Amino acid sequence: MSYSKSYTVIIGGGLSGIALALAVKRAGGNPLVVEKRAYLGYEMVGRYQMYVEKNAETDEETSAWQTEFSLQPVQIENEYCFYQGETKAQLLRRLREESIPYLFFCSLAGVFTDEYNQLSAVLLANSYGLYQVKASHLVDCSGEDTVRHILSIEKSPSRLLHSAYTIEVENIKTKETRLSGTANWNGSVNYHHSKRADTSLLSIALMKNEMSAGDRFSRSKEENRVKSVAADVIGQLRKIPGNEQVEVKNIGFEAAVEYEEEWVPQLAVIDNIYQNPYVLHFNFSERDLINLMNEAASLAAKIHKREGATSSQLYLYGEALEQKQLCRLEDEAIVWMDVEMWPLQLMETELPLYLTDATIVGLGASGMAALEAIRQDSQYIGVELQSLLGGTRTAGHVPNYYYGYRGGHTEKLNRRLKDFEKQVLNLHKTDPNQLDRNSLALMFHSEAYENNDKMLLQAVVCGAYCKEERLHTILVNDSWGLCYIKATNTIDTSGNGDVAALAGCRFEYGDPQDGVPQTFSQWGIDEKNVPLFHEQRFSGDYDAVDVTSFTDMMRASTVAQLNNSTYYSSNPVSYREGRRIVGEEYLTLAEAISGKQPHQFFAVAESTIDNHGRTSTELARMGLACCEKIYKIALPFGCFRPLGIAGLFVGGKAISAERDVVGTVRMNADVQNAGYALGIAVRKSNLKEKDPDYEKVCGQLQEEGLIPKEFLQQQRLGAEEAVTQLDEKDPYRLLEVLLQQEEEVVPYLRNAFATAEVETKKMTYAKCLAWFGDASGSELLKKRMEYLIKYEVIDENSDISTRCDAVKHGVQGDINDYWELNQLILVSEKIGDADFDELLIRAATVATAGGQPHVSKITYYASRRDMIEVPFYERIFNLAYVFSKRPIPQAKKALEHILEQENIGGNFYTYDPEELPLFFSSYLELTVAIAAALCGSTNAQKKVQAYTGDCRSVLAKFARRYQDIISDVTV
């Protein structure tokens, strides 16, 4: 193992950490910023707007902010006003301009020393595991005293943790506001003007609340407490005449460490460890920034460039441990911005150990539901990567349901939220169906405080250990360092199957053909000239991230932060699709939408087939993934249980199912109900049994309304009935036939085809037969296919022009010409008749519309970049799919011609994460290039080769998957 560079590792990517990184770089050092969040800035970007008092000692026109960070604040009276999104983007841009590397999602877990007891490396933790990075210096700019906690410099330190709280609200009508404190809080109100709207904005800062910092769980308890207080503050504010329409815009939490006396870095065996040189709180001035920059420069001058030696000891909790006995090094390093991160596996050693009945990892909508079920009669610990409870529904800015079964736990939660809004928040809505993410977050934290929930917020699971095919222990890291949690059962509701992956569970990811997932959401990109933030919040779905790859998550977060809108306010990346575990049962789309009741009915979903991207299964490629059709889906218990790992349950988007199923069952209402069901299952197995008794669990599920009668009473059509009711104008009846078993339905189809007198009816039977590989109606299919190829394109009123919204998500109420030809293209491949080859080539020849991307007439779709497509988009994908499965050399010319069209071909690969082409143009180009290369095109082979180095991991992996196959093709 060799390292290329040793770094001054700066823990904390807030203003202090960034200032120091810039200073170290100027001094000739090698800074590396390590931040546990997905963005830089922390206090600076914790609000929509930040106000900084202007320096009264100088009349200089250029502020220190402009000098150091190239930020252009708005001056309001005697203060500078900064906006969250532009501040986030510029902080990261400054690091990239100076070639300063940074790592998101990472936290400090330990320190390595060389044989002379000099610092040689740091141990970092994230949800992918533990990593060693070479270090010459370590600087704590976390504001949380992270280094002291992890190294246990004082075994029983005398210190106090204080908390301050900031809430931002709009629609304040009274400038003079006085709030009376209660027994729980005492605070002050700061009023500021707002540039964003005619209304005003208010910041409420609570007074310091001292508490003991000797308990690992104390910080999370305090965070829940102050957010409970915040709810009371908002309720009081709305009672003031004129403030009835006050709206919460942002909620945050600040914690810092105070000392009875100044601490001087001292640790005999490790040198070069510094405390945060300057802790900034929510209210600071221009002079504070100047002082900070001066102190950073002074500290940087003390840091001399020094290469670290070979690591020999690892310090965890102040204890020196032999590295050889603890860690197993992998052969290759993970590299981001030239920083080498060497994966390590920590063997069992003495660390703080917490025993409990249940652990819930991921406290989003599903995890909070599981916790609520468990808290009734079991001990539990919740672990959450963020500081805000609620996941997608709160931090992810998607509080509403859209689809999903709204009975069961979801119905009870909705009632509770309405009561909380009326009784605590004094909120009376004009639209009771419109849900508020901040209200939900405040309720979750208030309930957690009232129930004294044991939680670790801003903590990451970085290891999982199994014994005798059962999850035994998980390894968790937070600002206090590493610890073990041992539970009888663990629920993984991380949304990405993080615990399951660390425990060695097999998983799938993305489309089974190419590995490409749904696009991720980046809220509020300034792509449209829309004045209001909330009208452009959907415009960011223009990239796909490989959540199985740490470096691609870094890339996606970089892209998201650099492209912030001025008022960007959520986490940079909210991905719709993560890992899918391989479980005890595997649910296919055909099984899911058939209405078939599973062996062990455990949870339900009620939604459309909704993939933001492209659907994967052939049923979907046939245009039968219809957005209008709502399916009632029964989920079996085995989908939530990883194969071969007992004691672990997986919820959220990571269940064991086909990709198109997960796109259907991922709605908020459904993952909440499934999470509550998982909590019941764990609760039933905690006391005497290690594994739940399904019969006992099922009875409780029915009592709670989680398995409704209408799902139990679904009737599935038999083969004969499905054929009898087949209607060529109704796609859903066609789907009923295609869902049947081949041996059962084909005899009825043959008979119906032979006796049908109406040609359109006969055509529909022929198409169904072809789906099952039966060529009985192939001559009729060829005739119809030839007609559609000839007349669809030249007809100015063809479906590609008038029904282009159906191009994305399939048919909408009837089978139109566009999708009928798509269906014929697919079923012709199933027959395998060479007579169809010429027709397929002709279809490819005329499907080269290209041109500017089509913008939907539906506002929602028009504002999403993953919904904007070139004409014939899905047609070209289907043709490429068919030619990839059965390459035809004669198709090479037609496919090469497609690759010459605007927004279809154009070398849309990129190696620069800051210069990204439209993702779906890149995806389409690569898909067609692979098909053309398989048909013998040398130019297409070169294009595929170029994509193997694309900075977007999902496309690079897609290209590499076919690289060897293509190289064997005879040109």
Side-chain angles (χ1 to χ4, degrees), residues 159 192 261 269 319 353 357 408 525 578 597 650 690 723 811 948:
R159 61 185 185 272
H192 288 292
E261 58 184 36
V269 294
E319 301 294 333
L353 172 65
D357 294 329
I525 282 187
Q597 188 171 322
V650 178
K690 287 193 172 182
V723 173
V811 296
T948 61

Side-chain angles (χ1 to χ4, degrees), residues 765-775 781 827-828 830-831:
Y765 295 134
K767 194 189 327 181
C768 292
L769 284 166
W771 171 265
F772 294 106
D774 189 305
L781 294 178
V827 299
S828 67
K830 289 178 173 290
I831 296 175

Side-chain angles (χ1 to χ4, degrees), residues 518-688:
Q518 299 181 57
T519 51
F520 66 77
S521 288
Q522 180 192 336
W523 306 103
I525 282 187
D526 286 324
E527 289 182 353
K528 295 178 65 185
N529 186 23
V530 179
L532 297 178
F533 165 74
H534 289 290
E535 289 185 18
Q536 62 181 353
R537 66 191 185 278
F538 292 121
S539 60
D541 299 343
Y542 72 125
D543 195 5
V545 58
D546 179 1
V547 298
T548 69
S549 164
F550 171 72
T551 55
D552 205 53
M553 283 293 288
M554 285 294 305
R555 178 197 65 81
S557 296
T558 296
V559 169
Q561 189 164 335
L562 289 175
N563 288 280
N564 281 327
S565 71
T566 302
Y567 308 120
Y568 175 50
S569 57
S570 71
N571 292 314
V573 176
S574 297
Y575 51 85
R576 293 186 179 86
E577 184 174 347
R579 302 180 181 98
R580 305 186 303 278
I581 64 164
V582 175
E584 294 178 356
E585 294 188 58
Y586 186 82
L587 186 63
T588 67
L589 181 65
E591 292 170 336
I593 63 180
S594 69
K596 179 182 178 182
Q597 188 171 322
H599 165 56
Q600 291 185 327
F601 197 156
F602 184 72
V604 301
E606 192 171 41
S607 179
T608 62
I609 302 173
D610 186 15
N611 272 337
H612 286 258
R614 295 192 62 257
T615 44
S616 300
T617 62
E618 289 189 333
L619 282 172
R621 292 177 188 272
M622 287 280 285
L624 300 174
C626 313
C627 257
E628 292 183 349
K629 175 74 170 179
I630 296 179
Y631 298 95
K632 295 182 184 295
I633 298 174
L635 302 174
F637 195 23
C639 288
F640 299 85
R641 307 182 70 177
L643 185 63
I645 303 178
L648 176 62
F649 302 85
V650 178
K653 301 186 291 285
I655 66 171
S656 177
E658 274 186 339
R659 174 175 181 253
D660 291 342
V661 174
V662 175
T664 304
V665 304
R666 64 178 172 82
M667 298 300 165
N668 286 331
D670 294 328
V671 298
Q672 281 176 173
N673 281 328
Y676 195 82
L678 288 172
I680 290 173
V682 166
R683 199 177 78 212
K684 291 290 184 182
S685 62
N686 271 339
L687 300 178
K688 296 181 180 179

